[in-house]
Amino acid sequence: MESLKKSAKAAASSDSDAAGGGRRQRTAVKREKIVRSAAKLFLERGYESVSINEIIAVVGGSKETIYSNFGNKAKLFEAVVQQLCADVTIHIDTRPIGTLEEQATRIAHSFVSTVLTPQIISFHRLVTSIGRDFPTAGRLFYQTGPETVYRIFAEWIEHHQKSGNIRADHDPRRLAILFHDMLIGEQILSWLTSASTQKDRAKRIDQTVELAVSVFLGGCATRGKGSQTRKSAP
């Protein structure tokens, strides 16, 4: 009898956990829908010009839904910042497959081709324009955007420093920042100022990645490592 009670209790607990997991998943899906819908409005019209009521008109629900999930419009915008930064960093491909040059090219291309999309360029413009009046959002952008990219690049560089493929006499974070700036320094300025057009986007990305990888590895790779035969890094 006692074992039957324990089994029933365990089954009830399992059902409760499953139900709780389902609710959390539905809440997460709803939350992301609100964030992405709000992001579209913010990018199109700016932060100040978008009201909570206009966001609700797009996503449905009520003010209570927004406030219970985010607290206020400022916190919702911070969630937008985190989401759009994550959209970039999650696509950086650091798989240790292929030669050092192939890996660096894959990392660079996966980053640049995402960060220079029209949506992310608009996002950069928006955060830059409101940074003085909304410093919390600006700091959050820097921490979850550039700082995260630096960390991802630095971890890849440090891995290859330990493997002897990249010279270890420089700080991996400093090398990561250098590589990052080589990839998008000129590019981001030309896109932010509308000096570039979509017509030559792919060609310019390919040219920039090829040159940046060549120069970076030319100065940082140990002798012969940039063109080693295809293999997975240790």
Side-chain angles (χ1 to χ4, degrees):
M1 180 66 70
E2 187 64 27
S3 63
L4 289 175
K5 289 181 179 179
K6 288 182 179 179
S7 297
K9 185 176 181 180
S13 176
S14 178
D15 290 344
S16 178
D17 290 344
R23 283 194 297 272
R24 286 191 293 273
Q25 184 176 9
R26 289 192 296 273
T27 298
V29 169
K30 178 185 288 186
R31 191 177 190 278
E32 183 175 350
K33 179 184 177 182
I34 294 171
V35 169
R36 292 198 179 279
S37 298
K40 188 173 185 295
L41 291 174
F42 287 138
L43 294 180
E44 289 176 350
R45 299 170 52 189
Y47 174 74
E48 293 294 343
S49 300
V50 176
S51 69
I52 291 292
N53 286 334
E54 288 170 322
I55 295 170
I56 292 169
V58 173
V59 301
S62 64
K63 284 186 178 181
E64 286 73 25
T65 302
I66 302 295
Y67 293 143
S68 65
N69 278 278
F70 305 98
N72 54 40
K73 191 175 84 165
K75 291 297 183 182
L76 172 55
F77 184 73
E78 290 174 17
V80 167
V81 170
Q82 291 177 308
Q83 181 66 64
L84 294 183
C85 285
D87 286 347
V88 173
T89 58
I90 199 173
H91 285 99
I92 299 176
D93 187 349
T94 60
R95 291 173 298 160
I97 300 171
T99 67
L100 188 62
E101 181 179 4
E102 288 168 341
Q103 291 181 43
T105 299
R106 189 166 57 246
I107 290 170
H109 203 281
S110 62
F111 168 60
V112 177
S113 61
T114 305
V115 83
L116 294 182
T117 57
Q119 183 191 45
I120 300 302
I121 290 296
S122 296
F123 174 47
H124 273 263
R125 288 195 183 104
L126 176 59
V127 173
T128 302
S129 69
I130 67 174
R132 179 174 295 180
D133 298 324
F134 198 166
T136 302
R139 288 191 293 269
L140 182 62
F141 164 75
Y142 188 77
Q143 291 164 1
T144 56
E147 280 288 355
T148 301
V149 177
Y150 299 156
R151 176 180 55 78
I152 292 171
F153 283 12
E155 288 173 353
W156 177 80
I157 290 168
E158 186 175 17
H159 169 77
H160 282 289
Q161 286 178 325
K162 291 177 179 177
S163 300
N165 298 327
I166 290 179
R167 51 189 293 183
D169 56 342
H170 292 296
D171 176 53
R173 174 180 162 80
R174 297 308 306 169
L175 293 179
I177 293 172
L178 177 65
F179 190 36
H180 171 278
D181 291 352
M182 289 169 65
L183 288 168
I184 67 166
E186 181 267 340
Q187 289 274 19
I188 199 73
L189 286 174
S190 66
W191 285 91
L192 286 173
T193 57
S194 300
S196 294
T197 64
Q198 282 294 317
K199 182 179 179 181
D200 62 349
R201 176 177 178 271
K203 181 179 179 181
R204 291 194 61 185
I205 287 175
D206 289 343
Q207 291 173 339
T208 298
V209 167
E210 181 179 359
L211 181 58
V213 168
S214 176
V215 172
F216 181 76
L217 293 184
C220 296
T222 53
R223 187 180 299 276
K225 293 293 184 180
S227 58
Q228 61 188 322
T229 56
R230 175 178 291 275
K231 65 177 182 179
S232 296

